[in-house]
mmCIF file with all atom_site columns, all heavy atoms in Angstrom:
data_model
loop_
_atom_site.group_PDB
_atom_site.id
_atom_site.type_symbol
_atom_site.label_atom_id
_atom_site.label_alt_id
_atom_site.label_comp_id
_atom_site.label_asym_id
_atom_site.label_entity_id
_atom_site.label_seq_id
_atom_site.pdbx_PDB_ins_code
_atom_site.Cartn_x
_atom_site.Cartn_y
_atom_site.Cartn_z
_atom_site.occupancy
_atom_site.B_iso_or_equiv
_atom_site.pdbx_formal_charge
_atom_site.auth_seq_id
_atom_site.auth_comp_id
_atom_site.auth_asym_id
_atom_site.auth_atom_id
_atom_site.pdbx_PDB_model_num
ATOM 1   N N   . MET A 1 1   ? -67.107  -75.421 84.351  1.00 95.00 ? 653 MET A N   1
ATOM 2   C CA  . MET A 1 1   ? -66.092  -74.651 85.057  1.00 95.00 ? 653 MET A CA  1
ATOM 3   C C   . MET A 1 1   ? -66.674  -73.280 85.421  1.00 95.00 ? 653 MET A C   1
ATOM 4   O O   . MET A 1 1   ? -67.462  -72.710 84.669  1.00 95.00 ? 653 MET A O   1
ATOM 5   C CB  . MET A 1 1   ? -64.885  -74.487 84.120  1.00 95.00 ? 653 MET A CB  1
ATOM 6   C CG  . MET A 1 1   ? -63.656  -73.930 84.786  1.00 95.00 ? 653 MET A CG  1
ATOM 7   S SD  . MET A 1 1   ? -62.263  -73.910 83.608  1.00 95.00 ? 653 MET A SD  1
ATOM 8   C CE  . MET A 1 1   ? -61.872  -75.646 83.535  1.00 95.00 ? 653 MET A CE  1
ATOM 9   N N   . LEU A 1 7   ? -58.795  -59.925 92.696  1.00 98.00 ? 659 LEU A N   1
ATOM 10  C CA  . LEU A 1 7   ? -57.577  -59.219 93.098  1.00 98.00 ? 659 LEU A CA  1
ATOM 11  C C   . LEU A 1 7   ? -56.813  -60.116 94.054  1.00 98.00 ? 659 LEU A C   1
ATOM 12  O O   . LEU A 1 7   ? -57.392  -60.690 94.984  1.00 98.00 ? 659 LEU A O   1
ATOM 13  C CB  . LEU A 1 7   ? -57.928  -57.923 93.817  1.00 98.00 ? 659 LEU A CB  1
ATOM 14  C CG  . LEU A 1 7   ? -58.218  -56.685 92.985  1.00 98.00 ? 659 LEU A CG  1
ATOM 15  C CD1 . LEU A 1 7   ? -58.555  -55.530 93.933  1.00 98.00 ? 659 LEU A CD1 1
ATOM 16  C CD2 . LEU A 1 7   ? -57.047  -56.319 92.080  1.00 98.00 ? 659 LEU A CD2 1
ATOM 17  N N   . THR A 1 57  ? -59.982  -61.115 96.454  1.00 98.00 ? 709 THR A N   1
ATOM 18  C CA  . THR A 1 57  ? -61.203  -60.302 96.455  1.00 98.00 ? 709 THR A CA  1
ATOM 19  C C   . THR A 1 57  ? -61.826  -60.433 95.073  1.00 98.00 ? 709 THR A C   1
ATOM 20  O O   . THR A 1 57  ? -61.176  -60.104 94.070  1.00 98.00 ? 709 THR A O   1
ATOM 21  C CB  . THR A 1 57  ? -60.864  -58.819 96.707  1.00 98.00 ? 709 THR A CB  1
ATOM 22  O OG1 . THR A 1 57  ? -60.128  -58.734 97.929  1.00 98.00 ? 709 THR A OG1 1
ATOM 23  C CG2 . THR A 1 57  ? -62.120  -57.968 96.800  1.00 98.00 ? 709 THR A CG2 1
ATOM 24  N N   . PHE A 1 91  ? -93.917  -48.088 78.901  1.00 86.00 ? 743 PHE A N   1
ATOM 25  C CA  . PHE A 1 91  ? -93.643  -49.523 78.808  1.00 86.00 ? 743 PHE A CA  1
ATOM 26  C C   . PHE A 1 91  ? -94.681  -50.304 78.000  1.00 86.00 ? 743 PHE A C   1
ATOM 27  O O   . PHE A 1 91  ? -94.691  -51.520 78.042  1.00 86.00 ? 743 PHE A O   1
ATOM 28  C CB  . PHE A 1 91  ? -93.546  -50.136 80.212  1.00 86.00 ? 743 PHE A CB  1
ATOM 29  C CG  . PHE A 1 91  ? -92.393  -49.605 81.017  1.00 86.00 ? 743 PHE A CG  1
ATOM 30  C CD1 . PHE A 1 91  ? -92.608  -48.842 82.167  1.00 86.00 ? 743 PHE A CD1 1
ATOM 31  C CD2 . PHE A 1 91  ? -91.085  -49.871 80.643  1.00 86.00 ? 743 PHE A CD2 1
ATOM 32  C CE1 . PHE A 1 91  ? -91.547  -48.365 82.917  1.00 86.00 ? 743 PHE A CE1 1
ATOM 33  C CE2 . PHE A 1 91  ? -90.019  -49.391 81.386  1.00 86.00 ? 743 PHE A CE2 1
ATOM 34  C CZ  . PHE A 1 91  ? -90.254  -48.633 82.522  1.00 86.00 ? 743 PHE A CZ  1
ATOM 35  N N   . GLU A 1 94  ? -97.166  -52.933 72.014  1.00 72.00 ? 746 GLU A N   1
ATOM 36  C CA  . GLU A 1 94  ? -98.365  -53.384 71.313  1.00 72.00 ? 746 GLU A CA  1
ATOM 37  C C   . GLU A 1 94  ? -98.113  -54.625 70.465  1.00 72.00 ? 746 GLU A C   1
ATOM 38  O O   . GLU A 1 94  ? -99.006  -55.421 70.239  1.00 72.00 ? 746 GLU A O   1
ATOM 39  C CB  . GLU A 1 94  ? -98.920  -52.233 70.461  1.00 72.00 ? 746 GLU A CB  1
ATOM 40  C CG  . GLU A 1 94  ? -99.627  -51.198 71.335  1.00 72.00 ? 746 GLU A CG  1
ATOM 41  C CD  . GLU A 1 94  ? -99.844  -49.875 70.634  1.00 72.00 ? 746 GLU A CD  1
ATOM 42  O OE1 . GLU A 1 94  ? -99.626  -49.809 69.417  1.00 72.00 ? 746 GLU A OE1 1
ATOM 43  O OE2 . GLU A 1 94  ? -100.229 -48.922 71.335  1.00 72.00 ? 746 GLU A OE2 1
ATOM 44  N N   . PRO A 1 111 ? -69.023  -58.109 93.145  1.00 98.00 ? 763 PRO A N   1
ATOM 45  C CA  . PRO A 1 111 ? -69.862  -58.643 94.215  1.00 98.00 ? 763 PRO A CA  1
ATOM 46  C C   . PRO A 1 111 ? -69.466  -58.012 95.551  1.00 98.00 ? 763 PRO A C   1
ATOM 47  O O   . PRO A 1 111 ? -68.304  -57.658 95.764  1.00 98.00 ? 763 PRO A O   1
ATOM 48  C CB  . PRO A 1 111 ? -69.520  -60.145 94.220  1.00 98.00 ? 763 PRO A CB  1
ATOM 49  C CG  . PRO A 1 111 ? -68.971  -60.428 92.859  1.00 98.00 ? 763 PRO A CG  1
ATOM 50  C CD  . PRO A 1 111 ? -68.290  -59.170 92.420  1.00 98.00 ? 763 PRO A CD  1
ATOM 51  N N   . VAL A 1 142 ? -76.217  -65.970 62.465  1.00 98.00 ? 794 VAL A N   1
ATOM 52  C CA  . VAL A 1 142 ? -76.304  -67.218 63.244  1.00 98.00 ? 794 VAL A CA  1
ATOM 53  C C   . VAL A 1 142 ? -77.677  -67.858 63.027  1.00 98.00 ? 794 VAL A C   1
ATOM 54  O O   . VAL A 1 142 ? -78.707  -67.177 63.120  1.00 98.00 ? 794 VAL A O   1
ATOM 55  C CB  . VAL A 1 142 ? -76.087  -66.917 64.745  1.00 98.00 ? 794 VAL A CB  1
ATOM 56  C CG1 . VAL A 1 142 ? -76.331  -68.151 65.597  1.00 98.00 ? 794 VAL A CG1 1
ATOM 57  C CG2 . VAL A 1 142 ? -74.682  -66.369 64.976  1.00 98.00 ? 794 VAL A CG2 1
ATOM 58  N N   . GLN A 1 166 ? -85.422  -43.260 83.563  1.00 92.00 ? 818 GLN A N   1
ATOM 59  C CA  . GLN A 1 166 ? -85.796  -44.158 82.465  1.00 92.00 ? 818 GLN A CA  1
ATOM 60  C C   . GLN A 1 166 ? -87.089  -43.714 81.790  1.00 92.00 ? 818 GLN A C   1
ATOM 61  O O   . GLN A 1 166 ? -87.209  -43.729 80.562  1.00 92.00 ? 818 GLN A O   1
ATOM 62  C CB  . GLN A 1 166 ? -85.948  -45.586 83.023  1.00 92.00 ? 818 GLN A CB  1
ATOM 63  C CG  . GLN A 1 166 ? -86.142  -46.644 81.959  1.00 92.00 ? 818 GLN A CG  1
ATOM 64  C CD  . GLN A 1 166 ? -86.398  -48.020 82.571  1.00 92.00 ? 818 GLN A CD  1
ATOM 65  O OE1 . GLN A 1 166 ? -86.422  -48.187 83.787  1.00 92.00 ? 818 GLN A OE1 1
ATOM 66  N NE2 . GLN A 1 166 ? -86.605  -48.998 81.712  1.00 92.00 ? 818 GLN A NE2 1
ATOM 67  N N   . GLY A 1 168 ? -88.445  -40.671 82.195  1.00 90.00 ? 820 GLY A N   1
ATOM 68  C CA  . GLY A 1 168 ? -88.482  -39.229 81.984  1.00 90.00 ? 820 GLY A CA  1
ATOM 69  C C   . GLY A 1 168 ? -87.832  -38.772 80.687  1.00 90.00 ? 820 GLY A C   1
ATOM 70  O O   . GLY A 1 168 ? -87.948  -37.605 80.317  1.00 90.00 ? 820 GLY A O   1
ATOM 71  N N   . TRP A 1 172 ? -83.976  -45.201 77.269  1.00 92.00 ? 824 TRP A N   1
ATOM 72  C CA  . TRP A 1 172 ? -83.646  -45.769 78.577  1.00 92.00 ? 824 TRP A CA  1
ATOM 73  C C   . TRP A 1 172 ? -82.165  -45.656 78.932  1.00 92.00 ? 824 TRP A C   1
ATOM 74  O O   . TRP A 1 172 ? -81.759  -45.968 80.047  1.00 92.00 ? 824 TRP A O   1
ATOM 75  C CB  . TRP A 1 172 ? -84.031  -47.255 78.613  1.00 92.00 ? 824 TRP A CB  1
ATOM 76  C CG  . TRP A 1 172 ? -85.486  -47.506 78.420  1.00 92.00 ? 824 TRP A CG  1
ATOM 77  C CD1 . TRP A 1 172 ? -86.480  -46.574 78.258  1.00 92.00 ? 824 TRP A CD1 1
ATOM 78  C CD2 . TRP A 1 172 ? -86.129  -48.783 78.370  1.00 92.00 ? 824 TRP A CD2 1
ATOM 79  N NE1 . TRP A 1 172 ? -87.687  -47.199 78.110  1.00 92.00 ? 824 TRP A NE1 1
ATOM 80  C CE2 . TRP A 1 172 ? -87.495  -48.560 78.161  1.00 92.00 ? 824 TRP A CE2 1
ATOM 81  C CE3 . TRP A 1 172 ? -85.663  -50.093 78.473  1.00 92.00 ? 824 TRP A CE3 1
ATOM 82  C CZ2 . TRP A 1 172 ? -88.420  -49.599 78.064  1.00 92.00 ? 824 TRP A CZ2 1
ATOM 83  C CZ3 . TRP A 1 172 ? -86.570  -51.118 78.375  1.00 92.00 ? 824 TRP A CZ3 1
ATOM 84  C CH2 . TRP A 1 172 ? -87.943  -50.872 78.177  1.00 92.00 ? 824 TRP A CH2 1
ATOM 85  N N   . LYS A 1 176 ? -80.213  -46.301 82.789  1.00 97.00 ? 828 LYS A N   1
ATOM 86  C CA  . LYS A 1 176 ? -79.682  -47.653 82.985  1.00 97.00 ? 828 LYS A CA  1
ATOM 87  C C   . LYS A 1 176 ? -78.158  -47.663 83.116  1.00 97.00 ? 828 LYS A C   1
ATOM 88  O O   . LYS A 1 176 ? -77.565  -48.709 83.348  1.00 97.00 ? 828 LYS A O   1
ATOM 89  C CB  . LYS A 1 176 ? -80.054  -48.516 81.766  1.00 97.00 ? 828 LYS A CB  1
ATOM 90  C CG  . LYS A 1 176 ? -81.538  -48.796 81.613  1.00 97.00 ? 828 LYS A CG  1
ATOM 91  C CD  . LYS A 1 176 ? -81.973  -49.916 82.531  1.00 97.00 ? 828 LYS A CD  1
ATOM 92  C CE  . LYS A 1 176 ? -83.387  -50.387 82.205  1.00 97.00 ? 828 LYS A CE  1
ATOM 93  N NZ  . LYS A 1 176 ? -83.738  -51.583 83.008  1.00 97.00 ? 828 LYS A NZ  1
ATOM 94  N N   . ILE A 1 188 ? -68.431  -66.643 85.997  1.00 98.00 ? 840 ILE A N   1
ATOM 95  C CA  . ILE A 1 188 ? -68.987  -67.080 84.714  1.00 98.00 ? 840 ILE A CA  1
ATOM 96  C C   . ILE A 1 188 ? -69.106  -68.602 84.771  1.00 98.00 ? 840 ILE A C   1
ATOM 97  O O   . ILE A 1 188 ? -68.115  -69.286 85.056  1.00 98.00 ? 840 ILE A O   1
ATOM 98  C CB  . ILE A 1 188 ? -68.072  -66.684 83.533  1.00 98.00 ? 840 ILE A CB  1
ATOM 99  C CG1 . ILE A 1 188 ? -68.006  -65.158 83.401  1.00 98.00 ? 840 ILE A CG1 1
ATOM 100 C CG2 . ILE A 1 188 ? -68.572  -67.319 82.229  1.00 98.00 ? 840 ILE A CG2 1
ATOM 101 C CD1 . ILE A 1 188 ? -66.978  -64.682 82.372  1.00 98.00 ? 840 ILE A CD1 1
ATOM 102 N N   . ILE A 1 223 ? -82.723  -67.312 73.754  1.00 98.00 ? 875 ILE A N   1
ATOM 103 C CA  . ILE A 1 223 ? -81.354  -66.985 73.373  1.00 98.00 ? 875 ILE A CA  1
ATOM 104 C C   . ILE A 1 223 ? -81.103  -67.305 71.886  1.00 98.00 ? 875 ILE A C   1
ATOM 105 O O   . ILE A 1 223 ? -80.538  -66.472 71.166  1.00 98.00 ? 875 ILE A O   1
ATOM 106 C CB  . ILE A 1 223 ? -80.342  -67.685 74.322  1.00 98.00 ? 875 ILE A CB  1
ATOM 107 C CG1 . ILE A 1 223 ? -80.518  -67.111 75.739  1.00 98.00 ? 875 ILE A CG1 1
ATOM 108 C CG2 . ILE A 1 223 ? -78.911  -67.509 73.836  1.00 98.00 ? 875 ILE A CG2 1
ATOM 109 C CD1 . ILE A 1 223 ? -79.843  -67.929 76.829  1.00 98.00 ? 875 ILE A CD1 1
ATOM 110 N N   . ILE A 1 241 ? -71.724  -59.118 75.809  1.00 98.00 ? 893 ILE A N   1
ATOM 111 C CA  . ILE A 1 241 ? -72.595  -59.500 76.929  1.00 98.00 ? 893 ILE A CA  1
ATOM 112 C C   . ILE A 1 241 ? -74.028  -59.124 76.570  1.00 98.00 ? 893 ILE A C   1
ATOM 113 O O   . ILE A 1 241 ? -74.296  -57.968 76.211  1.00 98.00 ? 893 ILE A O   1
ATOM 114 C CB  . ILE A 1 241 ? -72.175  -58.769 78.222  1.00 98.00 ? 893 ILE A CB  1
ATOM 115 C CG1 . ILE A 1 241 ? -70.711  -59.087 78.552  1.00 98.00 ? 893 ILE A CG1 1
ATOM 116 C CG2 . ILE A 1 241 ? -73.096  -59.151 79.390  1.00 98.00 ? 893 ILE A CG2 1
ATOM 117 C CD1 . ILE A 1 241 ? -70.121  -58.172 79.621  1.00 98.00 ? 893 ILE A CD1 1
ATOM 118 N N   . THR A 1 244 ? -80.524  -60.794 79.308  1.00 98.00 ? 896 THR A N   1
ATOM 119 C CA  . THR A 1 244 ? -81.709  -61.328 78.621  1.00 98.00 ? 896 THR A CA  1
ATOM 120 C C   . THR A 1 244 ? -83.052  -60.858 79.185  1.00 98.00 ? 896 THR A C   1
ATOM 121 O O   . THR A 1 244 ? -84.093  -61.338 78.743  1.00 98.00 ? 896 THR A O   1
ATOM 122 C CB  . THR A 1 244 ? -81.659  -62.872 78.611  1.00 98.00 ? 896 THR A CB  1
ATOM 123 O OG1 . THR A 1 244 ? -81.542  -63.337 79.966  1.00 98.00 ? 896 THR A OG1 1
ATOM 124 C CG2 . THR A 1 244 ? -80.486  -63.383 77.795  1.00 98.00 ? 896 THR A CG2 1
ATOM 125 N N   . GLY A 1 263 ? -78.664  -48.577 102.421 1.00 98.00 ? 915 GLY A N   1
ATOM 126 C CA  . GLY A 1 263 ? -78.705  -49.584 103.479 1.00 98.00 ? 915 GLY A CA  1
ATOM 127 C C   . GLY A 1 263 ? -79.332  -50.895 103.026 1.00 98.00 ? 915 GLY A C   1
ATOM 128 O O   . GLY A 1 263 ? -79.102  -51.937 103.642 1.00 98.00 ? 915 GLY A O   1
ATOM 129 N N   . ASP A 1 264 ? -80.138  -50.851 101.968 1.00 98.00 ? 916 ASP A N   1
ATOM 130 C CA  . ASP A 1 264 ? -80.763  -52.084 101.474 1.00 98.00 ? 916 ASP A CA  1
ATOM 131 C C   . ASP A 1 264 ? -79.697  -53.036 100.917 1.00 98.00 ? 916 ASP A C   1
ATOM 132 O O   . ASP A 1 264 ? -78.716  -52.595 100.308 1.00 98.00 ? 916 ASP A O   1
ATOM 133 C CB  . ASP A 1 264 ? -81.773  -51.785 100.361 1.00 98.00 ? 916 ASP A CB  1
ATOM 134 C CG  . ASP A 1 264 ? -83.068  -51.189 100.897 1.00 98.00 ? 916 ASP A CG  1
ATOM 135 O OD1 . ASP A 1 264 ? -83.289  -51.237 102.128 1.00 98.00 ? 916 ASP A OD1 1
ATOM 136 O OD2 . ASP A 1 264 ? -83.848  -50.658 100.078 1.00 98.00 ? 916 ASP A OD2 1
ATOM 137 N N   . GLU A 1 271 ? -79.616  -70.193 89.742  1.00 98.00 ? 923 GLU A N   1
ATOM 138 C CA  . GLU A 1 271 ? -79.240  -71.574 90.045  1.00 98.00 ? 923 GLU A CA  1
ATOM 139 C C   . GLU A 1 271 ? -77.945  -71.934 89.312  1.00 98.00 ? 923 GLU A C   1
ATOM 140 O O   . GLU A 1 271 ? -77.785  -71.614 88.124  1.00 98.00 ? 923 GLU A O   1
ATOM 141 C CB  . GLU A 1 271 ? -80.405  -72.427 89.505  1.00 98.00 ? 923 GLU A CB  1
ATOM 142 C CG  . GLU A 1 271 ? -80.450  -73.835 89.914  1.00 98.00 ? 923 GLU A CG  1
ATOM 143 C CD  . GLU A 1 271 ? -81.619  -74.537 89.209  1.00 98.00 ? 923 GLU A CD  1
ATOM 144 O OE1 . GLU A 1 271 ? -82.473  -73.867 88.579  1.00 98.00 ? 923 GLU A OE1 1
ATOM 145 O OE2 . GLU A 1 271 ? -81.654  -75.766 89.282  1.00 98.00 ? 923 GLU A OE2 1
ATOM 146 N N   . ILE A 1 280 ? -76.901  -50.983 98.900  1.00 98.00 ? 932 ILE A N   1
ATOM 147 C CA  . ILE A 1 280 ? -77.114  -49.634 98.371  1.00 98.00 ? 932 ILE A CA  1
ATOM 148 C C   . ILE A 1 280 ? -76.448  -48.642 99.316  1.00 98.00 ? 932 ILE A C   1
ATOM 149 O O   . ILE A 1 280 ? -76.652  -48.705 100.525 1.00 98.00 ? 932 ILE A O   1
ATOM 150 C CB  . ILE A 1 280 ? -78.631  -49.314 98.252  1.00 98.00 ? 932 ILE A CB  1
ATOM 151 C CG1 . ILE A 1 280 ? -79.353  -50.406 97.440  1.00 98.00 ? 932 ILE A CG1 1
ATOM 152 C CG2 . ILE A 1 280 ? -78.833  -47.940 97.639  1.00 98.00 ? 932 ILE A CG2 1
ATOM 153 C CD1 . ILE A 1 280 ? -78.897  -50.575 96.020  1.00 98.00 ? 932 ILE A CD1 1
#
Side-chain angles (χ1 to χ4, degrees):
M653 190 175 287
L659 276 179
T709 304
F743 296 114
E746 285 164 10
V794 173
Q818 188 185 0
W824 298 358
K828 293 280 191 174
I840 295 172
I875 295 166
I893 302 167
T896 56
D916 285 347
E923 193 184 350
I932 307 298

